[in-house]
Amino acid sequence: MNREFLAKSNPRETIQEHTDKLLKNLNTLQEIYPNLFLNWDIFYMLKLACLYHDLGKMNVSFQKRITGGRESQILPHGIFSLCFLPGDDICDEVEERYLEDGAEEDIAIDKAENFVKIVANTVAYHHERAIPENAAEILKSNLNSLKEQLKDFRYDKLQNLKVEELASDFFRFGNRITIGNPSDRDCDIKNEVFDKYVLIKGLLNRIDYASSAGDKIQVERKNDFLLEKLDEMLKEWQIYNPNANWNELQKYMIDKREKNVIAIAQTGMGKTEAGLLWIGDTKGFFILPLKTAINAIYNRVKFGIIKEEKIDERVGLLHSETKEKYYEDSLNEDDIDYSKELDTYYERTKQLSLPLTICTLDQIFDFVYRHKGFEPKLATLAYSKVVLDEIQMYSPDLLAYVIKGLKYITKMGGKFAILTATFPKIVEELLSKEGIEFEVSPNFTKKDLPLRHNVKVIENLIDTDFIIFKFNKNKVLVICNTVKEAQRVYSELKEKLPDEEKISLFHSKYIKRDRKIKEKEILKLGDKHCKDYGIWITTQVVEASLDIDFDILITELSDLNGLFQRMGRCYRNRKLEEEKANCFVFLGNKEQKNTGIGYVIDKEIYKKSKELILDKIDGNLDEDSKMEYVSQLYTLENLENTEYYQKVKDTLRYLELIRPYEKEKQEVAKEFRNIESFMVIPKNIYEENLEKIEENLEIINQKNSSKEEKLFAKMEIRDLTLSIQGYEIRNIKKFTSELKEIELGKYEKIYILDCDYSFEKGFSVSKKETVEYIEDRFL
């Protein structure tokens, strides 16, 4: 009798049908990335894991549950699957293969045993589920039942199946494959086995997820378009300029495709194109620190390079608001069927199956914690190229994640490129200390743009009278270190120029709806072709990747690197014709430092930056000098006694001490940014929009609402929110217990906060809360 054993109930799919899908996806992976399987054992391990991973679903308990019975799960099905794995037979077979490859007998025996261990552990733990302490006894008591089930199971790809306990040489409960201890004699071998296990388990997870997600999602899609599209773009440029070609930076990146590289190039050198040319026709991840910048790069690739051709099969966007971004884009595309097309696109993006993904660090690099279920990301990066842009924007803990992450990626076979306008030498030194191999490029600058900035240093706090003096029907950008200081400057300017409508404020503490409007407005004025004028008071939110070009920059000093990033928003791609100051840097005075020092800005780095500026910067400042000063200041020797470096070092040490599988995925999601954050709606905004909010909540909670309706309702409510960090509220427990809250889902609470809020000034704490708060630089 050939009975039907289900692997899935919706849609109905037998174990055999599901396994066939896995094998099909395995072959797809091998066809697209053959270099992954240069060693026969990698492919064979993965094939065996695919074949055996779900056989445990034959157990009576699982079959009752999947067909609607009220049955509890006694063991994860992966544990039952071990009973079908012929460990001794596989071990004998692969030992012969290793001997044929020329391995000595004792080495071949060890390799064969480790081979089976990897397959067995991959099958057992392919779903990270709790395993009871008495699992061995439960398994033993169910052997006869499994044997009875097997009598009715037929599968042409697995002949002569039998049920028996797997030998303890290959699998023991509570003895999971992990890294070696440095003091162990066999530490290197254990680490090598662990790396192979991570690769096999991660790839099995990827293949399994894709096979479960439907016919439109496959484990990988081939990158056979990127170089062709970049070439087409170059040919379009040559229509208008026959001499157009890739510049020195871009040619360097083409030449170094097989290397890990750090490329330093001034603003306007085409770093995005350089990164894409380096990725070439392989799998790539483009990582930036800010969602605004990520959306901009995504749009640039989508509209400027790919020209919207098969975008949902080629380029993905991955950050905390991906679904909303896809939906907003689809509103302008009449041929999109949301319920099918966008869901499929979003799923492909989440499963990392697209050739090119543009994303934030936290969406990818959380694997550095090696938490339960981390393997798919690291296994994917093992055959990918990672481009990191604006690395100087990361806080010390995030920088440590980058350093440790690149160590793991390169060890597994992946490659990285760091692209930056100013490169802190300390990053190079930290990478070298981790044993990571890479090349550093020469400094690339525009020869036809020798001078963009002339700097005037002022030893005082930002002066609004000075801003007014410099404002003369031109574009003036003022950058403050804290939200509070930006709001103060804005209020003073409005008092002194009450009839002037061209004064605007922008920082991170606006609700999403208002922030989008502000962003569009500053981008509009900051466009180099715009002939309008005005004053914008801002914070670090404009410091990187925002394509704006102002005539005058007036800024507080944060640190040297931050200063040069801010200068990139003034005369962005223009030559300074008259040698007169267009950048004014306020250093604070003897009595008062600039705002934010000691909070987001390390006071020792601020002090050293100030000393260097006073010693070396006055008047014309070219790009080579900027790069040289950053290189001089941000060395390990200079920063080793700073809180910044101590935080990097402590985080690296902490990551090193965490044993694999020590942490849960949910725990890591909170810990990654080390920020306790809360979504809030200011009370006045809540009251103004109460009717609409209640309508949307009703849609969200109605069972018959469509996915599209629910998503749109959630988006409308989220548009009224802003993020508050734990340090911004004095008594956080009182804060969360006393406030009214609304729920958009199981894990999404929004609090209604009684605070001061307006479109003009954004959020500020009410007078009841006198806590100091600062710009959140790294969101």
Side-chain angles (χ1 to χ4, degrees), residues 508-509 673-680 722-730 732 735 753 763 765 771-779:
S508 67
K509 295 300 175 190
R673 282 190 176 276
N674 197 24
I675 292 173
E676 187 179 22
S677 64
F678 302 87
M679 296 306 295
V680 303
L722 57 91
S723 180
I724 300 296
Q725 271 63 62
Y727 59 73
E728 293 178 302
I729 304 295
R730 189 185 299 279
I732 207 71
F735 166 72
L753 180 62
F763 163 84
V765 287
V771 65
E772 171 79 7
Y773 66 95
I774 54 179
E775 172 72 80
D776 185 359
R777 179 175 181 176
F778 307 107
L779 285 181

Side-chain angles (χ1 to χ4, degrees), residues 71 140 204 294 394 408 467 664 684 752:
E71 187 87 6
K140 188 176 286 188
L204 176 69
I294 290 166
Y394 291 123
Y408 293 156
I467 296 170
E664 300 288 342
N684 61 316
I752 313 306

